[in-house]
Amino acid sequence: MIDPRGLDRLDISLGQIRRIIRDFELEMERGLSGQKSSLKMIPTYVSRPTGKEIGKFIALDLGGTHFRVLELTLKGAGRALEPKIMKFALAKKHITGSAEMFFGFIADCVKVFLKKYKLESADELDLGFTFSFPVKQAGLAGGSLVCWTKDFNVRGVIGNDVVELLRAALAKKDIRNVKIAALANDTVGTLVAKSYRDRNCDVGVIIGTGTNACYPEARLGGMIINVEWGDFDKLKLTAYDRKLDKKSDNPGRQIMEKAVSGMYLGRIASLVVKDLLGLKPKLKTEDMSAIEGDHSAGLAKTASALKKVGIAKCTSEERRQVKNICETVSGRGARISAACIAAIIKRMDTNLSRRHTVAIDGSVYEKHPTFAKNMKSCLKEIFGSKSNRIKITLAKDGSGRGAAIIAAVAASR
Ligand code: GLC
């Protein structure tokens, strides 16, 4: 029989949500003023675009399980043509090998892209490089990697300028007409992509393999700050979180990411299922989506999802409980994300007197059946009827499109 207390520990009351908001606001302030904080609050040297930028730009979007190269033509007045996109899978050997091999692979992909779209001998192309890891930027087109996250572990990159590494790799493959104009985090790309059309957009969020957010900081004249919220560590943890953290590649780091993002939700749910039901599935976050979206009477999709992850036989009661566990784990992630968004909005606009658009990209937000809905209902609990001033919207491929727009802003300077 399920131990109800086990699941209760993963529930987050409105009181706890308010505490998270307060702690997050304090950590943001500490991070900005150079005090010790789990929030890095990195200045990005990017401001929101005007919507008037025009021209043809290339972008690289790197930071999850897939790597994308795209070309975007901006028409001004907030309009752009549908981008040309190529997607490449990143194998384990690429993300855990040497810097030379990693950047060499990326340069090869750029070459394939240029060939496919007949851009090999085009005039100089400005490129926006989305690199979705904590980077200490020295300016718009350069910055050194602080640490890897999301199980990436390429040797020889930490402390080095990732733009220089990419530039050298492109030169080595004889790609001469591509100029790296800007470096950006994926959250910044997402915010910029949406605000090209929507002037109210002032928060960019990723909830995918990893999770993070950015916003324009008034104290810095509206420069966008990469919060690196995945490292936020003022959350009440359960025994499951501690176990997952201990077994991870980066114990003690990315505590919030481990409670929210796609890389980890399945691992937590698996630990809870093992503890409460004695079953040992190896759930991925996609499996949770299938299970939580299962509305059939006998939970047939849940049965086949469980079969896929090593549980060949289970009772209908067990399936019901597994579904309940998945809902609790993903629901907690959604509520934590909503609380942190609320803290960022409060920092910009204490009384919620303006409209705000929150642009979100990432597989969990896009594909999970209830994550987005749970975030919205949590914002309603926090702000009451004023929550209708907050529009949360999907910014599909925002990180790549945004990098192209950032390159455009840089090129126009
Ligand atoms: C990780 C990275 C961060 C990125 C996020 C989403 O948290 O550290 O830079 O924005 O994943 O991809």
Side-chain angles (χ1 to χ4, degrees):
M1 198 39 211
I2 201 161
D3 165 12
R5 277 177 304 123
L7 271 190
D8 276 359
R9 283 185 290 242
L10 287 157
D11 280 338
I12 300 192
S13 65
L14 185 56
Q16 279 171 274
I17 291 280
R18 299 225 184 275
R19 198 162 327 130
I20 295 174
I21 296 177
R22 206 186 50 223
D23 287 338
F24 198 90
E25 287 184 275
L26 287 171
E27 287 287 272
M28 280 198 285
E29 181 53 36
R30 285 192 201 110
L32 278 173
S33 47
Q35 295 169 48
K36 191 170 178 299
S37 167
S38 60
L39 297 177
K40 296 187 184 69
M41 306 299 285
I42 303 174
T44 63
Y45 300 89
V46 177
S47 303
R48 284 184 289 166
T50 61
K52 296 193 181 112
E53 294 78 7
I54 50 168
K56 191 197 272 183
F57 301 90
I58 304 282
L60 302 191
D61 186 0
L62 174 69
T65 44
H66 288 94
F67 161 66
R68 292 179 187 79
V69 187
L70 46 118
E71 184 213 73
L72 184 67
T73 302
L74 302 174
K75 297 298 235 180
R79 288 179 308 115
L81 299 183
E82 258 316 293
K84 295 172 178 149
I85 304 186
M86 277 184 88
K87 190 167 155 181
F88 304 87
L90 279 170
K92 181 102 186 159
K93 68 170 188 216
H94 295 127
I95 66 171
T96 56
S98 69
E100 205 180 348
M101 185 170 139
F102 181 67
F103 285 97
F105 173 72
I106 290 162
D108 281 335
C109 298
V110 173
K111 198 152 205 170
V112 171
F113 181 87
L114 295 176
K115 184 152 190 211
K116 172 158 183 196
Y117 292 108
K118 306 197 164 41
L119 293 165
E120 288 158 302
S121 48
D123 290 343
E124 191 170 80
L125 295 161
D126 284 301
L127 176 140
F129 180 24
T130 305
F131 184 74
S132 311
F133 299 94
V135 167
K136 266 253 143 32
Q137 286 192 231
L140 184 57
S144 64
L145 179 65
V146 180
C147 58
W148 285 113
T149 51
K150 301 176 281 196
D151 283 359
F152 273 64
N153 197 3
V154 181
R155 288 188 305 278
V157 187
I158 293 176
N160 290 320
D161 187 335
V162 294
V163 170
E164 277 312 319
L165 289 168
L166 176 62
R167 192 174 286 142
L170 293 175
K172 212 166 171 182
K173 306 275 169 183
D174 218 28
I175 301 171
R176 305 272 167 209
N177 60 341
V178 171
K179 183 177 141 224
I180 309 169
L183 174 67
N185 186 259
D186 51 355
T187 55
V188 180
T190 301
L191 170 54
V192 165
K194 189 56 92 184
S195 51
Y196 188 62
R197 293 196 73 146
D198 176 348
R199 305 304 299 156
N200 291 329
C201 180
D202 55 6
V203 189
V205 175
I206 301 286
I207 307 175
T209 309
T211 185
N212 187 15
C214 72
Y215 73 99
E217 171 57 49
R219 205 195 284 170
L220 297 174
M223 184 196 281
I224 299 171
I225 293 289
N226 168 11
V227 177
E228 283 294 327
W229 82 10
D231 214 13
F232 179 60
D233 66 359
K234 305 282 175 284
L235 293 174
K236 203 176 109 218
L237 300 181
T238 65
Y240 308 119
D241 300 300
R242 275 189 273 274
K243 193 161 186 177
L244 177 145
D245 180 48
K246 216 166 143 190
K247 281 207 269 175
S248 71
D249 276 6
N250 51 353
R253 307 308 309 264
Q254 301 297 104
I255 295 298
M256 166 167 165
E257 189 152 86
K258 286 170 183 161
V260 169
S261 81
M263 176 137 203
Y264 304 100
L265 285 179
R267 296 189 200 168
I268 303 179
S270 301
L271 288 171
V272 183
V273 169
K274 182 175 171 212
D275 183 39
L276 301 183
L277 304 178
L279 303 170
K280 291 185 193 168
K282 273 199 153 62
L283 291 164
K284 292 221 161 81
T285 304
E286 304 86 278
D287 305 317
M288 293 171 72
S289 291
I291 293 169
E292 291 179 60
D294 184 0
H295 300 292
S296 66
L299 295 180
K301 284 189 211 148
T302 302
S304 59
L306 283 171
K307 199 163 179 185
K308 205 182 87 197
V309 296
I311 308 294
K313 269 207 182 113
C314 55
T315 65
S316 66
E317 175 58 15
E318 281 168 334
R319 292 199 283 280
R320 198 186 60 74
Q321 291 179 356
V322 167
K323 184 174 176 195
N324 188 23
I325 289 169
C326 291
E327 285 166 351
T328 307
V329 170
S330 69
R332 180 181 73 152
R335 288 173 76 75
I336 293 173
S337 322
C340 299
I341 289 173
I344 292 177
I345 292 179
K346 282 182 74 189
R347 179 172 177 94
M348 294 188 289
D349 176 11
T350 324
N351 300 316
L352 201 53
S353 50
R354 298 192 306 272
R355 294 192 174 276
H356 300 268
T357 299
V358 182
I360 312 192
D361 197 5
S363 49
V364 175
Y365 183 80
E366 188 189 349
K367 299 199 177 118
H368 186 280
T370 54
F371 204 95
K373 201 176 92 213
N374 287 334
M375 277 177 76
K376 287 177 192 159
S377 65
C378 185
L379 282 168
K380 193 153 190 192
E381 275 177 59
I382 298 168
F383 290 115
S385 61
K386 275 190 178 177
S387 70
N388 62 18
R389 296 191 182 152
I390 303 173
K391 183 167 124 198
I392 297 199
T393 151
L394 178 70
K396 184 106 182 87
D397 288 322
S399 50
R401 288 172 192 241
I405 299 170
I406 295 166
V409 175
S412 69
R413 278 190 189 159

